[in-house]
Amino acid sequence: MEFDFAEEQPKFLMLMYGLIAFVVVVGGLLLLLDVVPAWFARRREAQLVAASASGAPLPRRRRQGEGLFALFFLLPTLLLLTVGLVVPAIRTTLLSFMDAGSTNWVGLRNYGWMFSDDSIVRVLINTLIWVVLVPLIATGFGLIYAVLVDKARFEAVAKSLIFLPMAISFVGASIIWRFVYAYRGDGDQIGLLNQIVVSLGGEPKQWLLESPLNTLLLIVIMVWIQAGFAMVVLSAAIKAIPGDIVEAARLDGVSPWQMFWQITMPSIRPALIVVVVTLTIATLKVFDIVRTATNGNYDTSVIASEMYNQAFRYGQNGQGSALAVFLFILVIPVVIYQIRNLRQQREG
């Protein structure tokens, strides 16, 4: 297959324009962030020198000027949030009340479809299973591992092994685990799981085709990736426990089990909440694993993957937007809880 540069020239031009726009925007922002503060600093220094030379009182900083200066630094972030988050959120909400072609208003029909269609109800149930199991199992494995390897001889190596999956993308991890679950008739198995089953005298199965087992097997992929994150955060929290508290508990003769429940768990509670909340939000938005492993088939679809299918595969913009809005509504309480928890920690 020969490469025709002339035929692909429009794509290269689009790529070049994108790179130029990126350099101009990012470079311009960096230039402003360097030039403007330096100009204000030189101006302030000149005022101080002039006041010192004339013996006049030193000029005070004006609060109004500081506010404008702070607003200048916030403007790029506010602009990007408005263009990339606020405007799409409003537009998606409006589309959720319209038909498939986004031309006629249908009211709450798309939301009624979401809770009345059996296949979408299955999607919602799958999402609930993911949200319940992934944070609990990943946090549990991370906590157990962090406690077991704490102050062990090869602690760094042991932690590196469980943290390695975090370096793999969800798509890459899903491809790896598809080979683990692979099925090849009655011959030699290339899938690790089926090979183990055959070695033990069992029959190979098409694991990703059997519901609801396939959903649980996809959850394993997410847990495999996120357990390392939970372990790192909780391990840091365990090491932050004051040594005098641990030493006093040992002098009182507490057992390892009592040490875990009465000292370790209360001390790392804020870190546990952060891990569970973070994993809950990540699980609600899970898309890559389902898309790569099963494409949402065989009753494995979740809200994010079904949203994509409805909007971009089936051309149902209204139904896809309704799923997106519902997903956003599910995330909001978790975010609010995390914000309140952080505020309580600061005040405490």
Side-chain angles (χ1 to χ4, degrees), residues 3-310:
F3 180 80
D4 188 352
F5 182 81
E7 184 178 349
E8 302 296 333
Q9 186 177 1
K11 297 181 181 179
F12 282 103
L13 288 175
M14 290 181 62
L15 177 61
M16 184 179 66
Y17 292 152
L19 290 175
I20 293 175
F22 177 80
V23 171
V24 170
V25 173
V26 176
L29 289 175
L30 293 176
L31 181 62
L32 286 175
L33 293 176
D34 178 64
V35 172
V36 173
W39 182 80
F40 276 102
R42 289 194 300 268
R43 180 183 176 186
R44 178 66 178 174
E45 183 180 358
Q47 291 175 349
L48 293 176
V49 171
S52 177
S54 62
L58 297 179
R60 296 182 179 180
R61 289 183 179 273
R62 292 179 297 177
R63 294 184 179 272
Q64 183 180 4
E66 292 180 354
L68 293 176
F69 190 59
L71 180 62
F72 170 78
F73 283 101
L74 289 175
L75 277 178
T77 302
L78 293 175
L79 178 62
L80 292 175
L81 284 176
T82 301
V83 175
L85 184 62
V86 177
V87 173
I90 296 174
R91 183 174 182 272
T92 302
T93 303
L94 294 176
L95 290 177
S96 69
F97 297 105
M98 304 178 74
D99 60 6
S102 303
T103 55
N104 301 313
W105 293 95
V106 296
L108 298 175
R109 185 185 304 173
N110 293 323
Y111 293 93
W113 158 83
M114 190 190 317
F115 294 101
S116 60
D117 189 282
D118 292 339
S119 61
I120 305 303
V121 172
R122 178 74 254 179
V123 170
L124 300 180
I125 294 174
N126 287 343
T127 304
L128 177 62
I129 295 174
W130 276 79
V131 172
V132 171
L133 293 183
V134 171
L136 293 179
I137 297 176
T139 304
F141 272 114
L143 177 59
I144 293 172
Y145 201 85
V147 172
L148 291 179
V149 303
D150 185 46
K151 298 180 181 179
R153 184 176 181 182
F154 299 102
E155 179 180 358
V157 177
K159 289 182 177 179
S160 299
L161 291 176
I162 195 173
F163 188 76
L164 279 177
M166 284 290 297
I168 305 174
S169 67
F170 282 1
V171 174
S174 302
I175 293 174
I176 293 172
W177 280 87
R178 280 190 63 179
F179 282 108
V180 174
Y181 300 142
Y183 169 82
R184 180 182 283 181
D186 297 328
D188 295 334
Q189 298 298 317
I190 61 172
L192 176 62
L193 184 56
N194 271 323
Q195 184 60 48
I196 294 175
V197 171
V198 171
S199 301
L200 296 176
E203 294 293 329
K205 296 182 179 180
Q206 298 187 29
W207 300 100
L208 296 180
L209 273 60
E210 299 184 9
S211 178
L213 177 62
N214 47 13
T215 296
L216 299 178
L217 295 177
L218 296 185
I219 288 175
V220 170
I221 304 175
M222 186 75 167
V223 172
W224 182 66
I225 297 173
Q226 298 294 347
F229 163 75
M231 180 271 301
V232 169
V233 176
L234 297 177
S235 178
I238 291 173
K239 290 187 177 300
I241 299 175
D244 54 351
I245 297 178
V246 177
E247 198 63 32
R250 288 176 179 171
L251 291 176
D252 289 340
V254 298
S255 64
W257 187 251
Q258 291 174 326
M259 175 74 75
F260 177 75
W261 283 109
Q262 298 178 12
I263 304 298
T264 303
M265 287 296 289
S267 300
I268 66 172
R269 179 179 176 276
L272 274 172
I273 293 176
V274 170
V275 171
V276 172
V277 169
T278 303
L279 292 182
T280 300
I281 296 175
T283 305
L284 280 171
K285 301 185 298 180
V286 66
F287 170 79
D288 313 62
I289 294 175
V290 176
R291 172 74 175 172
T292 304
T294 63
N295 199 22
N297 298 320
Y298 319 114
D299 293 334
T300 60
S301 185
V302 292
I303 292 180
S305 63
E306 190 64 27
M307 171 189 70
Y308 173 85
N309 289 335
Q310 292 293 334

Side-chain angles (χ1 to χ4, degrees), residues 315-338:
Q316 296 290 337
N317 294 332
Q319 295 176 357
S321 299
L323 287 169
V325 172
F326 184 66
L327 179 61
F328 180 71
I329 293 173
L330 291 178
V331 173
I332 288 177
V334 183
V335 175
I336 293 176
Y337 172 78
Q338 177 64 357

